[in-house]
Amino acid sequence: KRQSLNVTDERVEAEMNQMAKRGQMSRADFNTYISKQGFSVEDYKEILKNKLERQSFFESEIVERF
């Protein structure tokens, strides 16, 4: 059985907000930090979305095995 592993834009935004909060930054400061690391915010969102989709996939595979 395959479940949808698509990650919504809202989930990506929520994750970025959490990352900013963990880093004790505003979201604007976090976006600036991303830019200083050499990424556009849109590119970073795509990278994060792919990461979250892989994470969901592996978690679903683990759950299916047990």
Side-chain angles (χ1 to χ4, degrees), residues 29-56:
D29 289 341
F30 185 69
N31 288 352
T32 300
Y33 173 77
I34 290 168
S35 296
K36 286 182 179 178
Q37 300 305 308
F39 298 100
S40 73
V41 173
E42 290 306 312
D43 286 344
Y44 190 79
K45 285 180 182 180
E46 192 63 33
I47 291 166
L48 183 57
K49 183 175 183 172
N50 289 334
K51 177 184 175 232
L52 292 170
E53 287 173 345
R54 281 192 310 272
Q55 182 179 337
S56 293

PDB file of all heavy atoms in Angstrom, residues 29-56:
ATOM      1  N   ASP A  29      14.737  37.281   9.494  1.00  0.00           N
ATOM      2  CA  ASP A  29      16.156  37.029   9.765  1.00  0.00           C
ATOM      3  C   ASP A  29      16.577  35.656   9.250  1.00  0.00           C
ATOM      4  O   ASP A  29      17.675  35.485   8.739  1.00  0.00           O
ATOM      5  CB  ASP A  29      16.457  37.131  11.268  1.00  0.00           C
ATOM      6  CG  ASP A  29      16.396  38.559  11.788  1.00  0.00           C
ATOM      7  OD1 ASP A  29      16.480  39.502  10.971  1.00  0.00           O
ATOM      8  OD2 ASP A  29      16.255  38.725  13.012  1.00  0.00           O
ATOM      9  N   PHE A  30      15.689  34.685   9.391  1.00  0.00           N
ATOM     10  CA  PHE A  30      15.980  33.344   8.897  1.00  0.00           C
ATOM     11  C   PHE A  30      16.130  33.352   7.380  1.00  0.00           C
ATOM     12  O   PHE A  30      17.043  32.740   6.835  1.00  0.00           O
ATOM     13  CB  PHE A  30      14.891  32.366   9.343  1.00  0.00           C
ATOM     14  CG  PHE A  30      15.173  30.938   8.979  1.00  0.00           C
ATOM     15  CD1 PHE A  30      16.202  30.237   9.593  1.00  0.00           C
ATOM     16  CD2 PHE A  30      14.411  30.279   8.035  1.00  0.00           C
ATOM     17  CE1 PHE A  30      16.478  28.920   9.265  1.00  0.00           C
ATOM     18  CE2 PHE A  30      14.675  28.958   7.705  1.00  0.00           C
ATOM     19  CZ  PHE A  30      15.706  28.277   8.320  1.00  0.00           C
ATOM     20  N   ASN A  31      15.241  34.084   6.703  1.00  0.00           N
ATOM     21  CA  ASN A  31      15.340  34.193   5.242  1.00  0.00           C
ATOM     22  C   ASN A  31      16.660  34.850   4.839  1.00  0.00           C
ATOM     23  O   ASN A  31      17.289  34.429   3.867  1.00  0.00           O
ATOM     24  CB  ASN A  31      14.158  34.983   4.683  1.00  0.00           C
ATOM     25  CG  ASN A  31      12.859  34.205   4.742  1.00  0.00           C
ATOM     26  OD1 ASN A  31      12.838  33.027   5.066  1.00  0.00           O
ATOM     27  ND2 ASN A  31      11.772  34.875   4.460  1.00  0.00           N
ATOM     28  N   THR A  32      17.088  35.853   5.598  1.00  0.00           N
ATOM     29  CA  THR A  32      18.372  36.505   5.332  1.00  0.00           C
ATOM     30  C   THR A  32      19.506  35.510   5.539  1.00  0.00           C
ATOM     31  O   THR A  32      20.450  35.455   4.737  1.00  0.00           O
ATOM     32  CB  THR A  32      18.553  37.736   6.240  1.00  0.00           C
ATOM     33  OG1 THR A  32      17.495  38.662   5.969  1.00  0.00           O
ATOM     34  CG2 THR A  32      19.893  38.406   6.008  1.00  0.00           C
ATOM     35  N   TYR A  33      19.423  34.725   6.600  1.00  0.00           N
ATOM     36  CA  TYR A  33      20.432  33.699   6.883  1.00  0.00           C
ATOM     37  C   TYR A  33      20.529  32.708   5.717  1.00  0.00           C
ATOM     38  O   TYR A  33      21.628  32.369   5.271  1.00  0.00           O
ATOM     39  CB  TYR A  33      20.084  32.973   8.180  1.00  0.00           C
ATOM     40  CG  TYR A  33      20.971  31.798   8.474  1.00  0.00           C
ATOM     41  CD1 TYR A  33      22.255  31.980   8.980  1.00  0.00           C
ATOM     42  CD2 TYR A  33      20.537  30.502   8.231  1.00  0.00           C
ATOM     43  CE1 TYR A  33      23.081  30.899   9.243  1.00  0.00           C
ATOM     44  CE2 TYR A  33      21.358  29.413   8.486  1.00  0.00           C
ATOM     45  CZ  TYR A  33      22.624  29.616   8.994  1.00  0.00           C
ATOM     46  OH  TYR A  33      23.449  28.549   9.240  1.00  0.00           O
ATOM     47  N   ILE A  34      19.380  32.270   5.211  1.00  0.00           N
ATOM     48  CA  ILE A  34      19.352  31.344   4.068  1.00  0.00           C
ATOM     49  C   ILE A  34      20.080  31.971   2.872  1.00  0.00           C
ATOM     50  O   ILE A  34      20.901  31.321   2.220  1.00  0.00           O
ATOM     51  CB  ILE A  34      17.895  30.981   3.693  1.00  0.00           C
ATOM     52  CG1 ILE A  34      17.290  30.088   4.778  1.00  0.00           C
ATOM     53  CG2 ILE A  34      17.828  30.298   2.333  1.00  0.00           C
ATOM     54  CD1 ILE A  34      15.792  29.910   4.646  1.00  0.00           C
ATOM     55  N   SER A  35      19.775  33.236   2.607  1.00  0.00           N
ATOM     56  CA  SER A  35      20.402  33.933   1.480  1.00  0.00           C
ATOM     57  C   SER A  35      21.916  34.024   1.654  1.00  0.00           C
ATOM     58  O   SER A  35      22.666  33.842   0.697  1.00  0.00           O
ATOM     59  CB  SER A  35      19.813  35.331   1.331  1.00  0.00           C
ATOM     60  OG  SER A  35      18.446  35.245   1.006  1.00  0.00           O
ATOM     61  N   LYS A  36      22.355  34.269   2.879  1.00  0.00           N
ATOM     62  CA  LYS A  36      23.794  34.366   3.138  1.00  0.00           C
ATOM     63  C   LYS A  36      24.489  33.018   2.977  1.00  0.00           C
ATOM     64  O   LYS A  36      25.699  32.966   2.772  1.00  0.00           O
ATOM     65  CB  LYS A  36      24.040  34.917   4.547  1.00  0.00           C
ATOM     66  CG  LYS A  36      23.753  36.403   4.653  1.00  0.00           C
ATOM     67  CD  LYS A  36      24.042  36.923   6.040  1.00  0.00           C
ATOM     68  CE  LYS A  36      23.780  38.409   6.118  1.00  0.00           C
ATOM     69  NZ  LYS A  36      24.004  38.941   7.473  1.00  0.00           N
ATOM     70  N   GLN A  37      23.721  31.925   3.063  1.00  0.00           N
ATOM     71  CA  GLN A  37      24.284  30.594   2.859  1.00  0.00           C
ATOM     72  C   GLN A  37      24.360  30.245   1.374  1.00  0.00           C
ATOM     73  O   GLN A  37      24.817  29.166   1.004  1.00  0.00           O
ATOM     74  CB  GLN A  37      23.457  29.533   3.596  1.00  0.00           C
ATOM     75  CG  GLN A  37      23.375  29.736   5.094  1.00  0.00           C
ATOM     76  CD  GLN A  37      24.718  29.841   5.762  1.00  0.00           C
ATOM     77  OE1 GLN A  37      25.577  28.994   5.584  1.00  0.00           O
ATOM     78  NE2 GLN A  37      24.919  30.905   6.517  1.00  0.00           N
ATOM     79  N   GLY A  38      23.869  31.158   0.522  1.00  0.00           N
ATOM     80  CA  GLY A  38      23.985  30.961  -0.916  1.00  0.00           C
ATOM     81  C   GLY A  38      22.744  30.379  -1.579  1.00  0.00           C
ATOM     82  O   GLY A  38      22.804  29.954  -2.727  1.00  0.00           O
ATOM     83  N   PHE A  39      21.629  30.353  -0.865  1.00  0.00           N
ATOM     84  CA  PHE A  39      20.382  29.816  -1.415  1.00  0.00           C
ATOM     85  C   PHE A  39      19.365  30.930  -1.560  1.00  0.00           C
ATOM     86  O   PHE A  39      19.311  31.833  -0.729  1.00  0.00           O
ATOM     87  CB  PHE A  39      19.766  28.764  -0.477  1.00  0.00           C
ATOM     88  CG  PHE A  39      20.623  27.564  -0.247  1.00  0.00           C
ATOM     89  CD1 PHE A  39      21.377  27.447   0.920  1.00  0.00           C
ATOM     90  CD2 PHE A  39      20.675  26.538  -1.175  1.00  0.00           C
ATOM     91  CE1 PHE A  39      22.163  26.331   1.147  1.00  0.00           C
ATOM     92  CE2 PHE A  39      21.461  25.422  -0.950  1.00  0.00           C
ATOM     93  CZ  PHE A  39      22.206  25.322   0.207  1.00  0.00           C
ATOM     94  N   SER A  40      18.529  30.830  -2.575  1.00  0.00           N
ATOM     95  CA  SER A  40      17.341  31.683  -2.586  1.00  0.00           C
ATOM     96  C   SER A  40      16.334  31.016  -1.652  1.00  0.00           C
ATOM     97  O   SER A  40      16.413  29.805  -1.399  1.00  0.00           O
ATOM     98  CB  SER A  40      16.759  31.804  -3.997  1.00  0.00           C
ATOM     99  OG  SER A  40      16.119  30.603  -4.374  1.00  0.00           O
ATOM    100  N   VAL A  41      15.408  31.791  -1.143  1.00  0.00           N
ATOM    101  CA  VAL A  41      14.402  31.226  -0.237  1.00  0.00           C
ATOM    102  C   VAL A  41      13.597  30.151  -0.972  1.00  0.00           C
ATOM    103  O   VAL A  41      13.308  29.090  -0.416  1.00  0.00           O
ATOM    104  CB  VAL A  41      13.498  32.325   0.348  1.00  0.00           C
ATOM    105  CG1 VAL A  41      12.345  31.734   1.142  1.00  0.00           C
ATOM    106  CG2 VAL A  41      14.319  33.265   1.234  1.00  0.00           C
ATOM    107  N   GLU A  42      13.273  30.400  -2.227  1.00  0.00           N
ATOM    108  CA  GLU A  42      12.498  29.417  -3.000  1.00  0.00           C
ATOM    109  C   GLU A  42      13.288  28.118  -3.201  1.00  0.00           C
ATOM    110  O   GLU A  42      12.724  27.033  -3.099  1.00  0.00           O
ATOM    111  CB  GLU A  42      12.062  30.003  -4.346  1.00  0.00           C
ATOM    112  CG  GLU A  42      11.013  31.085  -4.208  1.00  0.00           C
ATOM    113  CD  GLU A  42       9.784  30.645  -3.414  1.00  0.00           C
ATOM    114  OE1 GLU A  42       9.235  29.561  -3.689  1.00  0.00           O
ATOM    115  OE2 GLU A  42       9.372  31.401  -2.518  1.00  0.00           O
ATOM    116  N   ASP A  43      14.579  28.235  -3.490  1.00  0.00           N
ATOM    117  CA  ASP A  43      15.411  27.033  -3.624  1.00  0.00           C
ATOM    118  C   ASP A  43      15.457  26.267  -2.309  1.00  0.00           C
ATOM    119  O   ASP A  43      15.374  25.044  -2.286  1.00  0.00           O
ATOM    120  CB  ASP A  43      16.839  27.390  -4.051  1.00  0.00           C
ATOM    121  CG  ASP A  43      16.941  27.800  -5.506  1.00  0.00           C
ATOM    122  OD1 ASP A  43      15.993  27.539  -6.284  1.00  0.00           O
ATOM    123  OD2 ASP A  43      17.983  28.388  -5.874  1.00  0.00           O
ATOM    124  N   TYR A  44      15.601  26.996  -1.211  1.00  0.00           N
ATOM    125  CA  TYR A  44      15.666  26.341   0.098  1.00  0.00           C
ATOM    126  C   TYR A  44      14.360  25.620   0.409  1.00  0.00           C
ATOM    127  O   TYR A  44      14.362  24.513   0.929  1.00  0.00           O
ATOM    128  CB  TYR A  44      16.002  27.348   1.200  1.00  0.00           C
ATOM    129  CG  TYR A  44      16.297  26.659   2.498  1.00  0.00           C
ATOM    130  CD1 TYR A  44      17.537  26.067   2.733  1.00  0.00           C
ATOM    131  CD2 TYR A  44      15.331  26.553   3.486  1.00  0.00           C
ATOM    132  CE1 TYR A  44      17.806  25.397   3.907  1.00  0.00           C
ATOM    133  CE2 TYR A  44      15.588  25.888   4.670  1.00  0.00           C
ATOM    134  CZ  TYR A  44      16.825  25.315   4.875  1.00  0.00           C
ATOM    135  OH  TYR A  44      17.086  24.643   6.040  1.00  0.00           O
ATOM    136  N   LYS A  45      13.232  26.249   0.060  1.00  0.00           N
ATOM    137  CA  LYS A  45      11.927  25.614   0.276  1.00  0.00           C
ATOM    138  C   LYS A  45      11.851  24.296  -0.490  1.00  0.00           C
ATOM    139  O   LYS A  45      11.349  23.299   0.020  1.00  0.00           O
ATOM    140  CB  LYS A  45      10.789  26.536  -0.168  1.00  0.00           C
ATOM    141  CG  LYS A  45      10.524  27.664   0.781  1.00  0.00           C
ATOM    142  CD  LYS A  45       9.377  28.522   0.255  1.00  0.00           C
ATOM    143  CE  LYS A  45       9.108  29.699   1.162  1.00  0.00           C
ATOM    144  NZ  LYS A  45       7.999  30.521   0.638  1.00  0.00           N
ATOM    145  N   GLU A  46      12.354  24.290  -1.712  1.00  0.00           N
ATOM    146  CA  GLU A  46      12.327  23.068  -2.528  1.00  0.00           C
ATOM    147  C   GLU A  46      13.222  21.991  -1.911  1.00  0.00           C
ATOM    148  O   GLU A  46      12.845  20.811  -1.858  1.00  0.00           O
ATOM    149  CB  GLU A  46      12.753  23.385  -3.958  1.00  0.00           C
ATOM    150  CG  GLU A  46      12.479  22.273  -4.933  1.00  0.00           C
ATOM    151  CD  GLU A  46      10.998  21.940  -5.082  1.00  0.00           C
ATOM    152  OE1 GLU A  46      10.141  22.825  -4.989  1.00  0.00           O
ATOM    153  OE2 GLU A  46      10.708  20.743  -5.293  1.00  0.00           O
ATOM    154  N   ILE A  47      14.401  22.384  -1.452  1.00  0.00           N
ATOM    155  CA  ILE A  47      15.309  21.434  -0.797  1.00  0.00           C
ATOM    156  C   ILE A  47      14.652  20.857   0.461  1.00  0.00           C
ATOM    157  O   ILE A  47      14.671  19.646   0.698  1.00  0.00           O
ATOM    158  CB  ILE A  47      16.644  22.132  -0.445  1.00  0.00           C
ATOM    159  CG1 ILE A  47      17.414  22.451  -1.725  1.00  0.00           C
ATOM    160  CG2 ILE A  47      17.490  21.272   0.504  1.00  0.00           C
ATOM    161  CD1 ILE A  47      18.561  23.432  -1.532  1.00  0.00           C
ATOM    162  N   LEU A  48      14.058  21.732   1.253  1.00  0.00           N
ATOM    163  CA  LEU A  48      13.404  21.296   2.491  1.00  0.00           C
ATOM    164  C   LEU A  48      12.218  20.384   2.188  1.00  0.00           C
ATOM    165  O   LEU A  48      12.017  19.370   2.852  1.00  0.00           O
ATOM    166  CB  LEU A  48      12.969  22.515   3.302  1.00  0.00           C
ATOM    167  CG  LEU A  48      12.340  22.245   4.659  1.00  0.00           C
ATOM    168  CD1 LEU A  48      13.267  21.426   5.550  1.00  0.00           C
ATOM    169  CD2 LEU A  48      11.964  23.560   5.338  1.00  0.00           C
ATOM    170  N   LYS A  49      11.457  20.727   1.162  1.00  0.00           N
ATOM    171  CA  LYS A  49      10.307  19.899   0.768  1.00  0.00           C
ATOM    172  C   LYS A  49      10.776  18.495   0.389  1.00  0.00           C
ATOM    173  O   LYS A  49      10.184  17.502   0.822  1.00  0.00           O
ATOM    174  CB  LYS A  49       9.567  20.551  -0.400  1.00  0.00           C
ATOM    175  CG  LYS A  49       8.336  19.797  -0.819  1.00  0.00           C
ATOM    176  CD  LYS A  49       7.583  20.547  -1.897  1.00  0.00           C
ATOM    177  CE  LYS A  49       6.321  19.802  -2.255  1.00  0.00           C
ATOM    178  NZ  LYS A  49       5.457  20.549  -3.151  1.00  0.00           N
ATOM    179  N   ASN A  50      11.847  18.407  -0.389  1.00  0.00           N
ATOM    180  CA  ASN A  50      12.386  17.095  -0.763  1.00  0.00           C
ATOM    181  C   ASN A  50      12.844  16.314   0.468  1.00  0.00           C
ATOM    182  O   ASN A  50      12.615  15.108   0.576  1.00  0.00           O
ATOM    183  CB  ASN A  50      13.540  17.251  -1.747  1.00  0.00           C
ATOM    184  CG  ASN A  50      13.075  17.704  -3.109  1.00  0.00           C
ATOM    185  OD1 ASN A  50      11.937  17.475  -3.506  1.00  0.00           O
ATOM    186  ND2 ASN A  50      13.946  18.369  -3.832  1.00  0.00           N
ATOM    187  N   LYS A  51      13.487  17.005   1.393  1.00  0.00           N
ATOM    188  CA  LYS A  51      13.953  16.366   2.624  1.00  0.00           C
ATOM    189  C   LYS A  51      12.767  15.828   3.429  1.00  0.00           C
ATOM    190  O   LYS A  51      12.797  14.692   3.922  1.00  0.00           O
ATOM    191  CB  LYS A  51      14.743  17.370   3.467  1.00  0.00           C
ATOM    192  CG  LYS A  51      15.202  16.805   4.783  1.00  0.00           C
ATOM    193  CD  LYS A  51      15.900  17.870   5.624  1.00  0.00           C
ATOM    194  CE  LYS A  51      16.237  17.292   6.962  1.00  0.00           C
ATOM    195  NZ  LYS A  51      15.778  18.095   8.073  1.00  0.00           N
ATOM    196  N   LEU A  52      11.721  16.632   3.562  1.00  0.00           N
ATOM    197  CA  LEU A  52      10.543  16.210   4.327  1.00  0.00           C
ATOM    198  C   LEU A  52       9.835  15.041   3.646  1.00  0.00           C
ATOM    199  O   LEU A  52       9.327  14.140   4.327  1.00  0.00           O
ATOM    200  CB  LEU A  52       9.591  17.389   4.519  1.00  0.00           C
ATOM    201  CG  LEU A  52      10.103  18.507   5.425  1.00  0.00           C
ATOM    202  CD1 LEU A  52       9.179  19.725   5.349  1.00  0.00           C
ATOM    203  CD2 LEU A  52      10.271  18.034   6.849  1.00  0.00           C
ATOM    204  N   GLU A  53       9.805  15.039   2.313  1.00  0.00           N
ATOM    205  CA  GLU A  53       9.194  13.918   1.592  1.00  0.00           C
ATOM    206  C   GLU A  53       9.987  12.636   1.807  1.00  0.00           C
ATOM    207  O   GLU A  53       9.403  11.570   2.021  1.00  0.00           O
ATOM    208  CB  GLU A  53       9.068  14.245   0.104  1.00  0.00           C
ATOM    209  CG  GLU A  53       7.984  15.247  -0.180  1.00  0.00           C
ATOM    210  CD  GLU A  53       7.929  15.724  -1.615  1.00  0.00           C
ATOM    211  OE1 GLU A  53       8.901  15.501  -2.383  1.00  0.00           O
ATOM    212  OE2 GLU A  53       6.913  16.343  -1.973  1.00  0.00           O
ATOM    213  N   ARG A  54      11.326  12.720   1.762  1.00  0.00           N
ATOM    214  CA  ARG A  54      12.150  11.532   2.026  1.00  0.00           C
ATOM    215  C   ARG A  54      11.949  11.043   3.457  1.00  0.00           C
ATOM    216  O   ARG A  54      11.833   9.842   3.697  1.00  0.00           O
ATOM    217  CB  ARG A  54      13.633  11.839   1.787  1.00  0.00           C
ATOM    218  CG  ARG A  54      14.035  11.834   0.342  1.00  0.00           C
ATOM    219  CD  ARG A  54      15.551  11.840   0.166  1.00  0.00           C
ATOM    220  NE  ARG A  54      16.225  12.857   0.950  1.00  0.00           N
ATOM    221  CZ  ARG A  54      16.446  14.104   0.562  1.00  0.00           C
ATOM    222  NH1 ARG A  54      16.039  14.504  -0.625  1.00  0.00           N
ATOM    223  NH2 ARG A  54      17.079  14.953   1.339  1.00  0.00           N
ATOM    224  N   GLN A  55      11.883  11.981   4.386  1.00  0.00           N
ATOM    225  CA  GLN A  55      11.677  11.624   5.783  1.00  0.00           C
ATOM    226  C   GLN A  55      10.337  10.909   5.949  1.00  0.00           C
ATOM    227  O   GLN A  55      10.257   9.888   6.635  1.00  0.00           O
ATOM    228  CB  GLN A  55      11.714  12.896   6.636  1.00  0.00           C
ATOM    229  CG  GLN A  55      11.570  12.665   8.112  1.00  0.00           C
ATOM    230  CD  GLN A  55      11.653  13.974   8.885  1.00  0.00           C
ATOM    231  OE1 GLN A  55      12.208  14.965   8.417  1.00  0.00           O
ATOM    232  NE2 GLN A  55      11.100  13.985  10.065  1.00  0.00           N
ATOM    233  N   SER A  56       9.305  11.421   5.318  1.00  0.00           N
ATOM    234  CA  SER A  56       7.984  10.783   5.384  1.00  0.00           C
ATOM    235  C   SER A  56       8.024   9.383   4.783  1.00  0.00           C
ATOM    236  O   SER A  56       7.427   8.453   5.307  1.00  0.00           O
ATOM    237  CB  SER A  56       6.938  11.625   4.645  1.00  0.00           C
ATOM    238  OG  SER A  56       6.713  12.831   5.307  1.00  0.00           O
TER     239      SER A  56
END
